[in-house]
Amino acid sequence: MAQRRYFIKTYGCQMNERDSEIMAGQLEELGYVPAARDQEADVIVVNTCAVRGSAEEHALGYIGQLRQLKAERPSMTLAVAGCMAQEPGTIAWLKKHAPQVDLVFGTHNLHQLPQLLEQAEASEEMVIDVWQSAGEVVEHLPSRRKDGVKAFVNIIYGCDKFCTYCIVPFTRGKERSREMGAIVAEVEALAREGYQDVTVLGQNVNSYGHDLNPPRDLADLLSELEKIDGVRWLRYTTSHPRDFSQKLIDTIAASSKITRHVHLPVQAGSNAILKRMNRKYTKESYLDLIERVKEKIPDASLTTDIIVGFPGETEADFEETLDLIRRVRYDTAFTFIYSPREKTPAARWEGRDPVPNPVKKDRLNRLMALQYQISWEQNQQYLGRELLVLVEGVSKKDHQVWACRTHNNKVVLIDRDPAIDLTDRFVPVRITGAKTFYLTGEAVGNPLPDSAPRRVELPMA
Ligand code: SAH
Ligand code: SF4
Ligand code: F3S
């Protein structure tokens, strides 16, 4: 019998990417091999994201497209997983509009994929198994990492912050930290395999360890990981301004491995809006935090997330946001139009006091125009500097160049000689050009010798 093949389509954040790697690992243990395209797969998993309406529409659109494929290949198993599966509204929608779906499971029971698949194969009906809350942290799941030199490692699951616009606490459950020993052992094993760029993951990594006995914190964890030979760069995502401690700032400042990229999602500049968002900081305390970061880590690149059009946001509130980004001077800001989410308090306020759509769009445009100008100016500081970059691969837009990343997360494009494969290599470069979204550079030395050229292309889109 021909080998059975799988295909995983992933939407959303890096935690979803990591979950997809674990699903891939489980499927490979069952004997499945990667399919190059969804048309060739015997199992397709759509790993969904619910953070904004647009993310949901993309996933539902793809699930809709698969109806045809399922009609042509009825023996194929189609599974829907991830954050949308945790929403009752999605389940109702799938039952009504997507009979092609064989299996729905959520974020808390993805470790059961092998059994669920078996059930779905044996059943005529859509099998739905979504847990409302998380069980114990499950260790030692198989995994098939997507990349050769970069690795993502979960350290804390869930989120307890309940920002009033956000669905994540409902889709990912309460905060649960992994034991520090388990994380250190995983990163040691990764280092032995040649992974050198390690990112620790959580919806809120600054909360790491408060629920452990004895309690730990992110600074303790990063200090332990720093000691592991073979790890060259250490990153963490995502951090919340509320728990970004002075101890963490000092730990980053003293480290040669922890990235100098500091991502501190601010969401809004108006205190009234921040209060209604339940962010638990003010514009002033946030700016004070940024000053402390700049003082101790002068070479930090700063990035943020901002939402415009939160219910009741006035022009004066929005101008507070513009003022804040002028003062901080972020390298990059990820900007979003507020999207109402099932079960969240802000969705009810959106019903009563919405910002009109054209105003939302206008604010987004003004915000982006200002931020692009600042991003361009920030990037000029890099001209002439020599930096080490990690070559991530051939640029998707221009096959003549390599897309690379610096330790502080800047994109650098360098000329590519097709005869030499630099994928996953660390290369010293000099920065020769600075644009709004990227830098350009030229190699000024040979790639470092100790990279691990082991990348395998995975069928994960
Ligand atoms: N845990 C991270 C954020 C995860 S979601 C944190 O607290 O920083 C990533 C970003 O999506 C958020 O920072 C926010 O800017 C945006 N976002 C979340 N919910 C949203 C919503 N309902 N509408 C628009 N943007 C949203
Ligand atoms: Fe959502 Fe807030 Fe938790 Fe981030 S901290 S995941 S924005 S609830
Ligand atoms: Fe989306 Fe879930 Fe991540 S809602 S952003 S995939 S935690």
Side-chain angles (χ1 to χ4, degrees):
M1 198 172 105
Q3 266 191 312
R4 297 203 297 166
R5 287 178 285 183
Y6 73 92
F7 185 88
I8 304 178
K9 174 83 181 168
T10 309
Y11 296 90
C13 64
Q14 275 145 338
M15 273 137 283
N16 252 20
E17 297 278 348
R18 179 74 193 117
D19 286 350
S20 290
E21 292 182 338
I22 291 169
M23 293 184 217
Q26 294 182 95
L27 290 166
E28 293 196 10
E29 273 203 350
L30 293 175
Y32 284 84
V33 294
R37 297 177 306 153
D38 54 7
Q39 292 100 312
E40 293 160 11
D42 300 289
V43 171
I44 298 179
V45 184
V46 186
N47 193 5
T48 60
C49 168
V51 79
R52 282 173 292 276
S54 52
E56 297 203 331
E57 282 151 26
H58 285 134
L60 293 180
Y62 181 56
I63 294 166
Q65 277 174 36
L66 293 174
R67 191 168 187 161
Q68 176 73 24
L69 193 61
K70 177 77 185 180
E72 287 161 16
R73 307 186 63 205
S75 65
M76 180 267 278
T77 304
L78 171 56
V80 174
C83 287
M84 283 177 75
Q86 296 295 140
E87 295 179 290
T90 307
I91 307 281
W93 191 92
L94 290 174
K95 278 190 188 159
K96 199 160 164 206
H97 301 286
Q100 69 274 28
V101 174
D102 301 294
L103 169 64
V104 184
F105 60 99
T107 56
H108 300 311
N109 61 336
L110 67 94
H111 58 280
Q112 293 188 316
L113 178 57
Q115 299 92 296
L116 291 170
L117 209 52
E118 210 173 295
Q119 271 180 40
E121 278 163 9
S123 166
E124 294 287 307
E125 305 283 301
M126 188 187 291
V127 172
I128 300 172
D129 192 350
V130 176
W131 297 4
Q132 284 320 308
S133 59
E136 295 286 299
V137 170
V138 184
E139 292 290 345
H140 307 301
L141 288 172
S143 117
R144 167 72 126 95
R145 284 191 153 82
K146 193 172 165 184
D147 206 283
V149 74
K150 276 177 175 215
F152 294 92
V153 175
N154 289 316
I155 62 167
I156 179 166
Y157 301 96
C159 178
D160 291 345
K161 296 286 184 281
F162 289 95
C163 301
T164 53
Y165 50 82
C166 184
I167 198 160
V168 171
F170 302 97
T171 64
R172 292 274 169 175
K174 281 187 72 60
E175 288 175 354
R176 287 104 57 213
S177 299
R178 284 180 72 194
E179 290 292 339
M180 200 145 116
I183 300 167
V184 170
E186 182 173 346
V187 176
E188 281 172 347
L190 288 169
R192 281 195 297 274
E193 287 176 51
Y195 290 96
Q196 297 170 63
D197 184 4
V198 172
T199 306
V200 298
L201 288 182
Q203 274 303 347
N204 204 335
V205 286
N206 313 98
S207 293
Y208 174 74
H210 69 86
D211 53 337
L212 294 176
N213 186 12
R216 302 287 199 161
D217 62 32
L218 181 63
D220 297 336
L221 175 68
L222 290 174
S223 302
E224 280 306 305
L225 298 181
E226 168 125 23
K227 292 182 198 152
I228 299 173
D229 280 344
V231 172
R232 191 186 296 278
W233 288 351
L234 259 177
R235 307 174 191 276
Y236 54 93
T237 194
T238 302
S239 42
H240 191 301
R242 181 169 148 193
D243 315 309
F244 205 88
S245 68
Q246 189 60 43
K247 176 178 171 189
L248 181 59
I249 297 176
D250 294 338
T251 304
I252 298 170
S255 165
S256 58
K257 293 189 179 177
I258 307 172
T259 178
R260 264 113 165 96
H261 170 210
V262 179
H263 179 62
L264 284 171
V266 68
Q267 315 298 358
S270 145
N271 285 338
I273 297 289
L274 287 170
K275 191 159 187 352
R276 273 191 280 137
M277 287 177 160
N278 194 31
R279 291 293 288 183
K280 300 264 166 66
Y281 52 81
T282 60
K283 183 182 181 189
E284 293 72 29
S285 67
Y286 180 89
L287 286 170
D288 173 67
L289 170 61
I290 293 285
E291 280 316 306
R292 286 186 286 121
V293 169
K294 285 182 175 171
E295 188 193 327
K296 282 286 170 91
I297 320 168
D299 53 344
S301 71
L302 294 172
T303 61
T304 198
D305 295 345
I306 296 176
I307 297 175
V308 298
F310 186 79
E313 183 190 65
T314 63
E315 176 61 22
D317 290 324
F318 174 64
E319 278 167 19
E320 295 279 356
T321 302
L322 295 179
D323 178 61
L324 183 125
I325 71 171
R326 279 191 204 100
R327 294 211 211 172
V328 177
R329 298 184 62 74
Y330 294 106
D331 290 83
T332 307
F334 301 93
T335 51
F336 309 104
I337 287 184
Y338 167 71
S339 167
R341 304 286 72 212
E342 195 180 338
K343 288 201 229 169
T344 59
R348 291 195 296 277
W349 308 333
E350 177 78 352
R352 289 203 301 267
D353 196 10
V355 174
N357 274 336
V359 177
K360 284 180 177 158
K361 285 194 185 132
D362 176 63
R363 287 184 188 159
L364 185 71
N365 289 337
R366 285 155 66 200
L367 181 65
M368 289 194 320
L370 175 60
Q371 180 54 48
Y372 290 172
Q373 175 63 29
I374 296 172
S375 296
W376 185 87
E377 288 167 11
Q378 289 294 100
N379 279 347
Q380 303 311 305
Q381 301 169 16
Y382 286 81
L383 284 173
R385 279 171 62 182
E386 287 188 13
L387 302 161
L388 192 64
V389 298
L390 172 60
V391 180
E392 294 192 326
V394 179
S395 160
K396 289 196 182 103
K397 290 198 188 126
D398 178 357
H399 287 198
Q400 309 301 313
V401 298
W402 292 108
C404 318
R405 220 168 263 275
T406 65
H407 191 190
N408 67 0
N409 217 36
K410 293 270 173 191
V411 174
V412 182
L413 302 179
I414 61 173
D415 281 343
R416 172 169 171 248
D417 172 354
I420 307 168
D421 185 6
L422 289 179
T423 311
D424 288 347
R425 308 296 297 266
F426 287 89
V427 180
V429 300
R430 183 185 303 111
I431 303 302
T432 52
K435 307 272 197 254
T436 304
F437 302 113
Y438 61 88
L439 306 168
T440 54
E442 59 192 16
V444 288
N446 292 326
L448 302 192
D450 57 348
S451 310
R454 316 171 305 94
R455 184 191 296 227
V456 207
E457 283 307 320
L458 267 197
M460 298 210 269

